[in-house]
Each structure stands twice: as C-alpha cells, then as structure tokens.
Amino acid sequence: MTRRRDAILREMGLAPLWRLRGVAEEPAVEAPPPALPIEAPPARPPEAVRPPVAASAPVRRALPAVAEAPVLPAVAPPPRVAPAADLANLGWDALEARILGCEGCVLCQRRKQAVPGVGDRQADWLFVGEGPGAEEDERGEPFVGQAGRLLDAMLAAIGLQRGHDVYIANAVKCRPPNNRTPEADELAACFPYLRRQIELIQPRLIVALGRPAAQALLNQEVKISAARGKTFRYGDIPVVVTYHPAYLLRNQPDKAKAWEDLCFARKTMRALRDEA
Ligand code: URA
C-alpha cells in the first residue's frame, strides 16, 4: 500500500519535487497510506467582524545630549493604517494600487515592493500563504521561490494550475524582514486587503497554507495538526487548512499529510459544486 501511495505521489510529480535541493534523499517513508478524507465536523458560525487595529509605531529612542548633535536621518513617519471601510468599494486596480502604496505597518519600511496576489480573479479556489519571501519581494508575485515551486506541485497533484481557477494571495502583502513570521498587528493591519480580495473573488473554497494564514482568516488561534481535515468558515466560505509549503520543505515526512489535506480539499470542492 505504501508502494502504491508512493507511486501515486510520483505520478503526480510530487515525490521528486517535494524535496529540498541539496538535501540527501530521505529514506522511503514507512507511514501508513493516506487515510480517506475525514468527514468535516459541522461548519462553524461566521466569525465576528474584526475591529480595526492600529499599527505599531516605530520605536524612537531618546538621544544622549551631545555638544554638537550630529545631523540625524529623517525619522520615518508613523505608519498609517488603511482603514478597512475605505476599501469596501474598490475594484481590482484601485485595490492593488492601495496595496502597492500601503504604509499600514512597519513591513512597508523594508520591502522592495508589496505583493498583492496573482491568478484568476474569478477563481473557485483561493490559496492563502503567509507573506512574501525574498524572491517574491523582488518579483512582485507570490510563491515564486522554492516554496512556490512546491505549491505549484501541490496544485498539480489535485489537477490545478496557477492562474486557472486558482488565485494565490498572502496574509501579509509585504515581506517580513529575514522571512520572520508576521506579527499579529501586521496580520491585522493587512487583513482588510485580503478581505477585499475575497469579496472580489468570491471563491468557493479557501485553502489556508500554514498557521498565520489560518489565524488571519479564522480570527482565532489555530494549530495546523489539530485543524487538518476539518472545514472552517470565513463568512459563508468554507476554509480548509494544511501545512505551509516552506514547512513541508523542512519537514518532508509531513508531505503525506499535506497530500491527504489536498484530497480533502478536492473532495470538499466537489461537494460544493454538486450542491450548487
Ligand atoms: N511563502 C508565502 O507564504 N508566500 C509567498 O508568497 C512565498 C513564500
């Protein structure tokens, strides 16, 4: 059965792609075959509307008194929060322009460019990641680095392709320095953009990739290992969670679980389409 599962993964292009470059090939996984998708528990009621969150101001330190004070570089102005209500009527172009010029949190200070999102703007599938990395910051497109190549393989595993009935966005639109996890206030400050993207796309299903994305969407603490195989809700839209591709690159044995999660997402989407 394990051999059969491996053969399926290989056929789907997953086995060779789900491997870190330069990392020795891991021994054959002796995990049990992927379980059949688990039935989802009853959907949760829509989450409460998030209150607007003030972005944290940059820290200003008192300068020691000196006889001749050196000329200091200008202090960056305090970040400006894009009020959520402001976005309510924006179309795609205006929304993306707002994202590109956003100074709503400290992440704007070290980005090369903001990364709004990419794909089919009328997609049934919305995949939400954490935040841009170095290559995304450089190119202005989400998931174009190593994690992105893995995401593309994951999409292919369930018959999907970037840009075709799929939209890809991030919970925060600017690269966190050194690829650190976005802070809660940064996620909250950026959330109105994701909310407007969801309003415009109206996806049938959202797949949250990793904990920050799940927490931003569900407005609650989420542990991926506990949340897998369940259906949550963002308003009326079902949300399923799985591991972030970058996590899978570091924790290869969990790719079998991600495979199960993708099968669960595909089954959920089929049921949604049958219902419609
Ligand atoms: N990781 C993410 O969460 N998003 C990207 O766009 C790239 C890497």
Side-chain angles (χ1 to χ4, degrees):
M1 200 57 184
T2 300
R3 240 181 263 138
R4 186 167 161 269
R5 191 270 321 270
D6 285 349
I8 292 168
L9 288 175
R10 213 164 285 124
E11 199 163 299
M12 303 300 252
L14 287 172
L17 283 165
W18 290 36
R19 192 172 296 138
L20 255 183
R21 279 197 199 149
V23 171
E25 189 169 331
E26 63 181 33
V29 180
E30 285 308 323
L36 287 174
I38 306 153
E39 285 308 320
R44 299 190 174 202
E47 299 296 332
V49 175
R50 290 162 180 76
V53 176
S56 53
V59 178
R60 296 162 199 239
R61 294 209 178 80
L63 293 166
V66 284
E68 270 188 54
V71 178
L72 294 170
V75 175
R80 192 165 40 80
V81 177
D86 261 355
L87 307 179
N89 297 313
L90 297 189
W92 277 106
D93 290 351
L95 178 65
E96 293 200 349
R98 284 285 290 273
I99 293 171
L100 293 174
C102 182
E103 295 176 355
C105 79
V106 293
L107 296 184
C108 70
Q109 293 171 349
R110 289 174 62 184
R111 70 174 179 223
K112 286 194 176 143
Q113 59 187 314
V115 180
V118 73
D120 180 348
R121 291 173 171 182
Q122 290 167 345
D124 277 355
W125 294 86
L126 171 62
F127 286 77
V128 180
E130 182 175 318
E135 286 189 61
E136 291 77 18
D137 184 50
E138 195 73 51
R139 289 174 50 187
E141 184 174 332
F143 283 103
V144 289
Q146 198 179 8
R149 289 188 279 283
L150 176 54
L151 177 60
D152 286 340
M154 292 165 74
L155 295 177
I158 51 170
L160 297 175
Q161 200 186 339
R162 179 185 292 248
H164 294 88
D165 203 23
V166 172
Y167 194 90
I168 302 171
N170 278 312
V172 295
K173 312 302 188 201
C174 298
R175 182 189 181 200
N178 305 316
N179 299 338
R180 65 163 169 75
T181 305
E183 302 287 351
D185 64 333
E186 294 156 358
L187 287 163
C190 214
F191 187 76
Y193 296 124
L194 182 58
R195 176 166 53 211
R196 185 67 191 140
Q197 288 176 315
I198 295 171
E199 284 167 5
L200 288 167
I201 299 166
Q202 297 186 351
R204 256 189 232 272
L205 180 67
I206 302 175
V207 180
L209 301 165
R211 195 149 77 123
Q215 290 184 176
L217 285 161
L218 304 175
N219 200 21
Q220 65 184 57
E221 286 289 318
V222 176
K223 200 161 180 269
I224 298 296
S225 56
R228 299 177 47 243
K230 298 179 183 164
T231 307
F232 296 86
R233 290 205 168 260
Y234 173 82
D236 291 342
I237 306 170
V239 177
V240 299
V241 309
T242 189
Y243 295 105
H244 190 284
Y247 166 87
L248 293 171
L249 289 169
R250 298 188 306 269
N251 298 275
Q252 301 221 13
D254 277 346
K255 65 191 178 186
K257 294 182 189 161
W259 163 246
E260 290 172 16
D261 299 340
L262 292 170
C263 291
F264 176 65
R266 184 175 52 183
K267 184 184 164 202
T268 305
M269 178 63 88
R270 281 188 184 142
L272 290 167
R273 285 181 171 149
D274 287 349
E275 270 169 28

